[in-house]
């Protein structure tokens, strides 16, 4: 993979982590995705994952990024030991693949997301987008808070960690 491809994926992952870190978001924030997420308080696991995957600097970059950010509760739904295993240095590539699967290039607001059937992630794989009964799902995760604006993108909070397809 080229350095540009890695940098783009890293930026997306960092954006996701930043989104996941913040629990409460300010409108039209002058903070980047990472700082916005960290400030929210409900994305500690995401922040730790971004750090372990070396994606923080990327998501603090110019972007723009759209991050589908799983909360700490979303990470807690994974099987016991999964998060701890992913945070180990030997699993960095797998963690990076998962985190970059939560990031879409560009600033995609909820109004635009609802018009999509799928979206290509920084990971390179597609996510399925479904809108039904006023709810938006990304694969099998529900968007529980949309359109948190950061200086370098948008954060949409989701209730599950989404996993990329097996290669």
């Amino acid at each position: 993979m080229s350095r540009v491809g890695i940098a783009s994926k890293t930026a997306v992952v960092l954006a996701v982590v930043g989104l996941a870190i913040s629990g409460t978001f300010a409108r039209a924030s002058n903070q980047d995705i990472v700082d916005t997420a960290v400030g929210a308080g409900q994305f500690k696991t995401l922040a730790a994952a971004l750090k372990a995957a070396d994606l923080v600097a990327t998501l603090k970059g110019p972007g723009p990024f759209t991050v589908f950010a799983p909360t700490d509760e979303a990470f807690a739904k994974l099987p016991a030991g999964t998060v701890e295993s992913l945070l180990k240095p030997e699993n960095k590539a797998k963690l990076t693949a998962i985190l970059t699967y939560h990031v879409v290039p560009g600033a995609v607001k909820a109004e635009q997301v609802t018009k999509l059937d799928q979206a290509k992630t920084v990971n390179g794989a597609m996510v399925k987008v479904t809108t039904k009964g006023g709810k938006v799902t990304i694969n099998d995760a529900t968007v529980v808070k949309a359109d948190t604006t950061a200086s370098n993108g948008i954060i949409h909070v989701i209730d599950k960690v989404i996993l990329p397809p097996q290669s």
Side-chain angles (χ1 to χ4, degrees):
M1 173 177 296
S2 71
R3 286 187 154 193
V4 173
I6 291 171
S8 295
K9 287 185 179 184
T10 300
V12 170
V13 170
L14 290 178
V16 170
V17 170
L19 291 176
I21 294 173
S22 66
T24 56
F25 301 106
R27 293 271 177 215
S29 176
N30 61 355
Q31 294 183 320
D32 60 54
I33 287 175
V34 174
D35 291 340
T36 300
V38 169
Q42 65 186 16
F43 300 102
K44 292 178 180 104
T45 307
L46 179 57
L50 289 177
K51 184 175 179 182
D54 290 329
L55 293 175
V56 174
T58 300
L59 290 181
K60 288 178 92 42
F65 309 105
T66 298
V67 176
F68 295 102
T71 62
D72 292 336
E73 284 184 11
F75 277 100
K77 293 177 184 177
L78 293 171
T82 301
V83 172
E84 294 78 8
S85 176
L86 286 171
L87 293 177
K88 292 180 179 179
E90 61 267 26
N91 293 322
K92 182 177 176 181
K94 186 173 185 177
L95 177 62
T96 299
I98 292 169
L99 293 174
T100 56
Y101 190 60
H102 287 79
V103 181
V104 173
V108 186
K109 293 191 171 218
E111 176 181 313
Q112 296 164 296
V113 171
T114 62
K115 296 176 183 171
L116 301 174
D117 292 334
Q118 60 183 0
K120 187 170 185 175
T121 66
V122 171
N123 167 294
M126 303 296 282
V127 291
K128 181 180 175 185
V129 180
T130 307
T131 304
K132 186 174 181 179
K135 291 190 179 196
V136 175
T137 58
I138 307 301
N139 289 352
D140 61 346
T142 301
V143 174
V144 295
K145 179 169 176 48
D147 288 346
T148 297
T149 304
S151 63
N152 62 343
I154 307 235
I155 298 168
H156 301 297
V157 180
I158 57 175
D159 66 352
K160 290 175 95 176
V161 175
I162 56 174
L163 301 174
Q166 300 289 352
S167 45

